[in-house]
Amino acid sequence: MSIDDRAIDLREAFLRELLGEAGDIARAGFARQAGETVSMKGPQDYLTETDGQVESHLKARIAAVFPEDGFLGEEGGGEPGAQAWVVDPIDGTANFARSIPHFCISIAFIAGGEVQLGAIVNPVLDEVYLARLGRGASLNGQPIRVSGTTDIAATSFEMGWSNRRPLARYIGALNELFEAGSNVRRGACGALGLAYVADGRSDGYAELHMNSWDCLAGLLLVREAGGVTGPFLSLGGLLAGAPVLAAAPGVAAVLSKATAIPLLAGPDLVADAKEDDQRRIA
Ligand code: LIP
């Protein structure tokens, strides 16, 4: 199914409004978060009241303005269908819950098998990242580019940790990257980790398994900012999650080798399942 430019224009304008509204709710929640109820969805999987408030707001606004669009959110799930909004109301919830101001809201709009719009807002720093397929990526309205790094001894990568994959693979990849001469961080907010690749603050981000709400906006940002990524939608990542890799072109191969996550040459069409890739990362 294809979607025309006018339909995307309308959603882009609406997305800008949503970012402001969601940022206000999250910022207010963070300011009072010392008294907030924090619960655990599972091991190392935090949930605060603000997660639910932001997601409910976004879901209701989208349903009111674009009732024909589907919705998939981290907290409430949903039926995305062919055209949908994919939302992480607070990415980096563990940081949020511990008063660390490194968290964000991530919103992607997907149609025609591709991510058409991707936005990430860090409400504490007032940093708004926005990307539109084929039209570039920006931070607070200014175009952004991935870093031009080619020297591995100057790289700063980030690796997210997921307890949905064997710890040995994460440690093995970290080990290989450190031995290659890279610095590797973990900021505990995967969406911002990807945004930082897009604007050149970081040279690459990888995680052995991520959910679509954590990464779709960030993957589009990186590709539109001149970076390379691994496959995600073609591996069934929308509903089941998949490995994530995004990097500056000059050093992407090193990150790909260490993590065994392949690089993607063309667009990440849902229909374009790459069996070869699936075998390599199984
Ligand atoms: C999580 C991130 C974490 C990353 C996970 C997930 P949540 O999101 O904060 O850094 O490794 O894959 O993205 O649970 O805070 O929304």
Side-chain angles (χ1 to χ4, degrees), residues 55-211:
E55 185 163 316
S56 305
H57 178 81
L58 293 174
K59 190 175 179 176
R61 288 278 282 132
I62 290 166
V65 179
F66 296 108
E68 67 275 35
D69 293 353
F71 184 89
L72 178 65
E74 176 176 16
E75 308 311 335
E79 295 285 334
Q83 181 171 310
W85 299 80
V86 183
V87 166
D88 191 342
I90 301 287
D91 187 58
T93 309
N95 286 342
F96 181 103
R98 291 170 184 270
S99 303
I100 298 169
H102 188 70
F103 63 89
C104 66
I105 297 141
S106 173
I107 306 176
F109 175 69
I110 180 169
E114 287 186 278
V115 184
Q116 304 285 342
L117 297 167
I120 289 174
V121 55
N122 176 335
V124 177
L125 295 181
D126 242 332
E127 291 189 329
V128 179
Y129 293 87
L130 189 63
R132 177 163 169 173
L133 184 63
R135 301 217 185 160
S138 62
L139 167 56
N140 290 348
Q142 298 303 309
I144 50 174
R145 291 296 293 172
V146 295
S147 82
T149 317
T150 54
D151 175 9
I152 197 69
T155 50
S156 179
F157 288 132
E158 181 169 351
M159 264 203 81
W161 167 69
S162 164
N163 57 14
R164 296 182 292 272
R165 290 293 177 269
L167 180 60
R169 282 195 58 198
Y170 175 73
I171 301 289
L174 276 182
N175 197 47
E176 188 167 328
L177 290 169
F178 280 125
E179 280 187 345
S182 178
N183 175 26
V184 190
R185 328 164 32 246
R186 176 164 187 263
C189 176
L192 276 182
L194 290 166
Y196 284 11
V197 178
D199 71 5
R201 284 166 165 163
S202 165
D203 300 306
Y205 184 90
E207 186 161 340
L208 298 174
H209 185 273
M210 264 176 122
N211 289 310

